Amino acid sequence: MTTINESLAGDFILVGFSDHPQLEKILFVVVLISYLLTLLGNTAIILLSSLDPMLHTPMYYFLTHLSFVDLCFTTSIAPQLLWNLHGPYKTISPTGCAIQLYTSLALGSTECVLLAVMAFDRYAAVCQPLHYATVMHSRLCQSLVGMAWLSGVGNTLIQGTITLRLPRCGNRRIYHFICEVPAMVKLACVNIHANEVQLFMASLVLLLLPLTLILISYGYIAQAVMRIRSAQAWRKALGTCGSHLLVVTLFYGAITAVYIQPNSSYAHSQGKFITLLYTIVTPTLNPLIYTLRNKDVKGALKRLLQKDRAQQSEKLKR
């Protein structure tokens, strides 16, 4: 096992993957590349959705917020993870740990609700196409996004504060690579049964409830698609929903495995890899999924590049 430098008294020690020194080198490269791609891809989606008038629709309004959440979510975790993977210092200050806990929990909770909101948008687009513009008006879209953010912030203020107030009796070794609620609860030196029940109930509300709403929405979408006779309409319906469904599968599949699994298995390395999937890998794949499978985004990128070339040509002519 790699020696962990514990010279900074009072700091938390993120054990992470220190028992696999060779793996740390590989993970450093993977996380670095993933983080750079996350920054590039999500920033590109935000800019395209803002600059191209053709993308000023509810779907891309929600997608812009999803990209912003992913951008901030990964940024709250990746830099600290890279620092710990690269050197002997596996520490994080109590303030840094609290900031990471609050930020990542708020953004992760917001994404859970936001994906459910996007599923409702797809339901309205496929099942109520003639009334879509009336149903998904701008005020409703803003209210739904506001609800997602308020749910995330409210959850983190409650769960994060209770978790950080638990007595730890000097326990500073976090057997994870981030300050996350399940890992932080394990440091407590008191009976944490009530906290485990609270965590489970919060997981039911912010994970399983949105997931249930998503499944119901896609159940109605599947019924509507089955009634479509036109092959072109079939492809359009599948194209507009396929990207979102793939993102939901990746994100919810990983985060549910961590928060709903038995507590006794949480500290195992399997849990750390699953956490890597929804904190680092999924935010990297989301822009690729939406751009590679979406003609609107590719068309917007093409128009933006053509506009840029035309402006450069006019400057050269002058």
Side-chain angles (χ1 to χ4, degrees):
M1 179 183 291
T2 302
T3 301
I4 300 176
N5 195 316
E6 303 184 20
S7 61
L8 299 176
D11 287 353
F12 290 107
I13 301 161
L14 294 169
V15 176
F17 303 95
S18 57
D19 52 343
H20 302 289
Q22 296 301 318
L23 180 62
E24 282 190 315
K25 298 176 182 178
I26 298 173
L27 284 176
F28 178 82
V29 176
V30 172
V31 172
L32 179 60
I33 294 173
S34 297
Y35 183 47
L36 294 175
L37 289 175
T38 298
L39 293 176
L40 179 63
N42 286 290
T43 302
I45 286 181
I46 292 171
L47 290 175
L48 284 174
S49 299
S50 301
L51 296 175
D52 194 303
M54 298 293 290
L55 299 184
H56 292 175
T57 62
M59 175 180 173
Y60 294 101
Y61 175 72
F62 297 134
L63 180 57
T64 299
H65 280 270
L66 178 65
S67 295
F68 180 71
V69 168
D70 281 340
L71 200 62
C72 297
F73 187 38
T74 306
T75 299
S76 70
I77 295 168
Q80 179 69 42
L81 176 57
L82 289 169
W83 172 261
N84 290 346
L85 289 172
H86 185 261
Y89 291 98
K90 313 294 183 183
T91 58
I92 183 171
S93 69
T95 301
C97 187
I99 291 173
Q100 186 180 73
L101 180 88
Y102 277 118
T103 305
S104 60
L105 182 58
L107 293 167
S109 302
T110 299
E111 181 157 352
C112 289
V113 180
L114 191 57
L115 288 173
V117 168
M118 295 176 73
F120 173 72
D121 173 67
R122 294 302 82 208
Y123 159 78
V126 175
C127 300
Q128 304 289 335
L130 298 179
H131 305 286
Y132 177 68
T134 304
V135 173
M136 300 303 297
H137 54 84
S138 60
R139 184 172 296 179
L140 177 62
C141 293
Q142 292 170 4
S143 298
L144 290 173
V145 168
M147 178 189 67
W149 281 101
L150 286 175
S151 300
V153 173
N155 177 57
T156 195
L157 287 176
I158 297 171
Q159 279 204 72
T161 302
I162 293 175
T163 300
L164 292 175
R165 289 173 64 88
L166 287 172
R168 290 183 288 271
C169 303
N171 295 329
R172 298 185 293 119
R173 295 174 71 89
I174 302 173
Y175 290 91
H176 211 303
F177 61 86
I178 60 173
C179 293
E180 197 173 34
V181 171
M184 295 294 291
V185 167
K186 291 291 184 181
L187 299 182
C189 56
V190 294
N191 191 327
I192 59 172
H193 177 70
N195 298 86
E196 291 174 342
V197 172
Q198 177 205 23
L199 177 61
F200 180 74
M201 294 304 295
S203 299
L204 288 179
V205 173
L206 285 167
L207 286 176
L208 297 187
L209 180 58
L211 182 58
T212 301
L213 295 175
I214 290 171
L215 294 176
I216 291 173
S217 297
Y218 275 98
Y220 282 112
I221 289 172
Q223 289 180 355
V225 170
M226 293 298 292
R227 292 195 295 265
I228 297 176
R229 299 182 181 277
S230 168
Q232 184 178 359
W234 253 81
R235 287 193 295 269
K236 184 177 180 181
L238 292 175
T240 191
C241 298
S243 299
H244 178 254
L245 192 56
L246 185 55
V247 169
V248 167
T249 303
L250 288 172
F251 181 78
Y252 271 98
I255 200 169
T256 302
V258 170
Y259 278 84
I260 306 296
Q261 71 174 344
N263 290 320
S264 59
S265 65
Y266 182 80
H268 295 174
S269 60
Q270 183 182 4
K272 299 175 189 177
F273 285 108
I274 295 174
T275 304
L276 269 179
L277 184 61
Y278 73 81
T279 57
I280 303 296
V281 178
T282 302
T284 304
L285 294 178
N286 285 356
L288 296 177
I289 292 170
Y290 278 108
T291 54
L292 293 178
R293 294 177 56 86
N294 195 302
K295 293 181 179 180
D296 292 338
V297 175
K298 289 188 286 187
L301 180 59
K302 185 177 180 180
R303 287 190 295 272
L304 187 62
L305 293 175
Q306 289 175 344
K307 183 178 179 180
D308 184 59
R309 290 173 184 170
Q311 290 176 346
Q312 290 180 352
S313 299
E314 289 181 4
K315 290 181 179 178
L316 291 174
K317 290 178 180 179
R318 293 176 183 175

